[in-house]
Amino acid sequence: MKKILILISLLLLLLGGKTFAQEKSRGIIPDYINLQFAGNIGALSAGAGYYLNPANSLALDAIYGFSPAYRTGKAIHNIVVRLNYSPYNIGLNDALSLKPFASFAISRQIADSDRTFERLPKNFPEGYYAPNAFRLHFDLGLSLHKKFAPEKRIRGMEFYLATTTNEMYVTYFINSREVGLGDIFSLTLGIKMILFE
Amino acid sequence: MFFKKPLCLLLFAALMVSCDKLFEFSPYSAHVPASRKNTTQQNLEKLLANADSPDFKPFEFTLISDNHLFYDELQNAIEHINKHQSAAFLIHGGDMTDGGLIKEYDIFQDLMEELETPYFTVIGNHDLLANGQSIYSDMFGPENYSFIYHNCKFIFFNNVVWELNFAEPDFRWLRNELIDRDQFTHVFVIAHIPPWTDQFFLSYFYIYNLLMTDYKVSLSIHGHHHNPYEYQNDTLPAEITVGPNLVIGAPQKNVYRKVKVLADTVLFETINFVE
């Protein structure tokens, strides 16, 4: 758990350092912040991200998600690192565009008194269980991008809708003729506030 | 490049409309909707509604276990049982999930709904992973329970040790359930972990077997191991005579079991459902 936090902070610092070199006043202020509803990383999640290339088609997010006990039986916390890829920009008019995207994420989920582990506890024989604390998520989505006037502090807003699944659900799909695509995908909604482009 | 854009949108739209559960918050969710709760109680009501008298009369039941993620094999077993067996009910020996996730419990319950007889489960070590224990108790009911059918007692016992922080299984509860043994034609105990294997300390093994011997349990039924077999052990001290022990076997091995309960004996057979 601690190690992941350290890794995430290192990553943020690294990315921050990169941008700091370009714009003196920026520090580690991210390129965008986002807020998301559902998507198997919490009922609500908030995160920050950086664009990784000049075309802004690759981006990396660090996200914290939370689901209260009345939603999921137990309170569940999530720490997520997500890579987004949006290769196309379909212009609707000067300010609006549509961007299909695909994301790949890894999450560590922590529930109250659960039995999940990153590494097999010592009291089990080697290989008794595979670590079950991480999930790999795959998203396919569409975002509506609104560009603001260049003099505004906020460069733009994005509203996105995506379908998401994870590696375990894909296994169920493969292993059962009764489990269809509709059983393994669910929806997520989110907004992004873009600070730097 | 140009034709790919509409293709993306089309794929996206297709996925969008096909989502069954619109929003999901976590694969580790422990939330069980009301429509999926108390399965054991419902199955028991169904079973007892069909039982015409409380007196003993011969009957059959089927056994499956350890399906984990082998859903197609589980479904094949269920279809075979529906077609070829005339059992009163089915017992599942545990590990109905692989990681104790809500989706796995849901898929299991969906597949079991196809079964034409009532069914009863015992919790397995895999079912306890993540939030599985809390899901199990909501979805099925108590982990330790018993019922009586045609004057035979069926006792379901959670004997998982490692995943419950090495706590001793509730032998006191088991003994209390066995105390009225003499009233019944047969008594069956169903517990996921075979007492002679990895998870059970030797002391637990002794206690368990003493209970089985003292109370003349007709058959001690287990899961955990995926190959079906019967256990005999002649290396134990003389005071412990291991009664008939049955390991059910997994659908992954294309087998399930059938038990025929007669007044003076219990017969079991292994059925291979792939011809």
Side-chain angles (χ1 to χ4, degrees):
Chain A
M1 190 47 225
K2 261 183 201 159
K3 282 180 201 157
I4 303 173
L5 280 175
I6 293 169
L7 269 176
I8 292 172
S9 5
L10 268 177
L11 202 69
L12 285 176
L13 278 173
L14 250 158
L15 289 164
K18 189 202 87 184
T19 44
F20 186 69
Q22 292 161 356
E23 284 175 57
K24 272 185 190 161
S25 59
R26 244 187 93 175
I28 60 159
I29 298 171
D31 288 336
Y32 57 83
I33 51 178
N34 74 331
L35 198 66
Q36 183 179 305
F37 174 69
N40 267 332
I41 54 166
L44 264 184
S45 55
Y50 296 95
Y51 293 115
L52 300 178
N53 60 349
N56 289 357
S57 63
L58 267 179
L60 193 70
D61 298 350
I63 305 164
Y64 165 76
F66 177 71
S67 182
Y70 76 94
R71 289 287 201 192
T72 40
K74 292 187 172 199
I76 298 171
H77 305 267
N78 311 262
I79 293 166
V80 189
V81 177
R82 183 164 69 188
L83 188 69
N84 304 302
Y85 179 55
S86 53
Y88 311 115
N89 208 335
I90 307 164
L92 299 175
N93 59 34
D94 284 350
L96 281 178
S97 64
L98 276 177
K99 294 203 299 196
F101 67 89
S103 314
F104 170 77
I106 180 162
S107 72
R108 166 65 166 108
Q109 312 215 11
I110 306 134
D112 299 338
S113 67
D114 64 354
R115 290 187 189 92
T116 58
F117 41 84
E118 294 153 13
R119 225 183 275 170
L120 193 64
K122 283 204 180 75
N123 46 14
F124 288 98
E126 207 177 309
Y128 202 77
Y129 293 118
N132 65 349
F134 297 101
R135 290 276 82 95
L136 305 176
H137 303 260
F138 316 103
D139 298 4
L140 273 179
L142 191 64
S143 63
L144 181 68
H145 183 108
K146 166 110 170 104
K147 209 186 253 180
F148 292 162
E151 68 275 11
K152 291 264 171 69
R153 179 68 193 86
I154 296 165
R155 297 293 169 85
M157 291 290 281
E158 249 178 55
F159 169 79
Y160 64 88
L161 183 63
T163 57
T164 177
T165 188
N166 63 64
E167 97 290 358
M168 275 317 288
Y169 290 12
V170 173
T171 315
Y172 310 151
F173 176 72
I174 294 168
N175 285 13
S176 173
R177 52 185 184 267
E178 287 300 308
V179 176
L181 275 183
D183 297 315
I184 65 164
F185 279 96
S186 64
L187 293 187
T188 173
L189 294 170
I191 48 169
K192 247 181 212 179
M193 192 200 286
I194 295 154
L195 305 173
F196 297 98
E197 259 183 327
Chain B
M1 223 39 174
F2 177 75
F3 69 92
K4 275 187 186 163
K5 289 179 191 171
L7 197 71
C8 274
L9 293 180
L10 207 69
L11 185 70
F12 180 73
L15 283 174
M16 218 50 112
V17 292
S18 67
C19 285
D20 212 30
K21 232 183 198 171
L22 219 49
F23 296 104
E24 277 187 34
F25 302 132
S26 170
Y28 296 87
S29 170
H31 176 72
V32 179
S35 61
R36 287 189 171 267
K37 281 184 176 174
N38 294 322
T39 311
T40 303
Q41 185 57 34
Q42 287 165 20
N43 275 305
L44 190 57
E45 281 162 16
K46 229 188 285 175
L47 178 70
L48 298 182
N50 291 331
D52 38 14
S53 89
D55 301 333
F56 180 79
K57 81 179 192 191
F59 64 92
E60 290 176 1
F61 62 91
T62 47
L63 293 166
I64 53 175
S65 189
D66 293 83
N67 56 273
H68 293 265
L69 299 178
F70 292 91
Y71 293 125
D72 278 347
E73 288 81 353
L74 173 66
Q75 200 178 348
N76 292 343
I78 293 168
E79 284 165 6
H80 196 276
I81 291 168
N82 282 344
K83 204 169 160 193
H84 298 282
Q85 305 302 337
S86 51
F89 58 90
L90 176 143
I91 288 172
H92 191 287
D95 281 1
M96 62 209 85
T97 71
D98 197 56
L101 300 182
I102 184 85
K103 192 77 117 192
E104 297 176 357
Y105 274 107
D106 277 345
I107 297 170
F108 174 76
Q109 212 184 33
D110 286 345
L111 292 176
M112 293 304 282
E113 270 168 19
E114 297 302 310
L115 184 77
E116 286 162 7
T117 67
Y119 70 94
F120 302 93
T121 58
V122 72
I123 197 164
N125 54 314
H126 279 259
D127 306 323
L128 290 161
L129 293 176
N131 291 318
Q133 190 170 22
S134 132
I135 299 171
Y136 182 90
S137 51
D138 278 358
M139 194 175 257
F140 292 99
E143 291 158 21
N144 293 335
Y145 66 98
S146 68
F147 67 81
I148 295 151
Y149 180 73
H150 283 312
N151 202 42
C152 292
K153 190 167 190 179
F154 291 83
I155 303 170
F156 296 78
F157 182 53
N158 174 8
N159 72 341
V160 175
V161 177
W162 287 352
E163 287 72 9
L164 296 172
N165 303 322
F166 293 81
E168 185 178 298
D170 197 349
F171 290 120
R172 206 169 291 241
W173 178 88
L174 182 59
R175 186 170 175 275
N176 280 336
E177 286 292 314
L178 288 165
I179 269 172
D180 55 1
R181 164 70 181 98
D182 290 343
Q183 298 174 21
F184 305 106
T185 315
H186 289 288
V187 169
F188 299 89
V189 176
I190 302 96
H192 180 69
I193 306 287
W196 57 89
T197 56
D198 57 7
Q199 291 221 349
F200 249 50
F201 298 126
L202 204 54
S203 55
Y204 294 173
F205 180 32
Y206 280 17
I207 299 169
Y208 185 87
N209 275 302
L210 278 173
L211 289 172
M212 296 302 109
T213 324
D214 283 0
Y215 293 100
K216 297 181 187 64
V217 170
S218 307
L219 194 59
S220 165
I221 299 167
H222 309 284
H224 201 48
H225 291 162
H226 292 189
N227 278 314
Y229 66 100
E230 289 84 50
Y231 180 75
Q232 297 295 333
N233 189 344
D234 45 19
T235 62
L236 285 172
E239 67 271 20
I240 298 179
T241 50
V242 176
N245 278 284
L246 187 69
V247 171
I248 301 169
Q252 168 199 359
K253 307 285 179 187
N254 297 326
V255 290
Y256 65 87
R257 303 273 207 156
K258 181 170 82 171
V259 181
K260 204 171 196 170
V261 186
L262 304 170
D264 52 350
T265 186
V266 172
L267 305 169
F268 48 85
E269 74 178 280
T270 312
I271 290 148
N272 192 311
F273 56 81
V274 176
E275 277 88 19

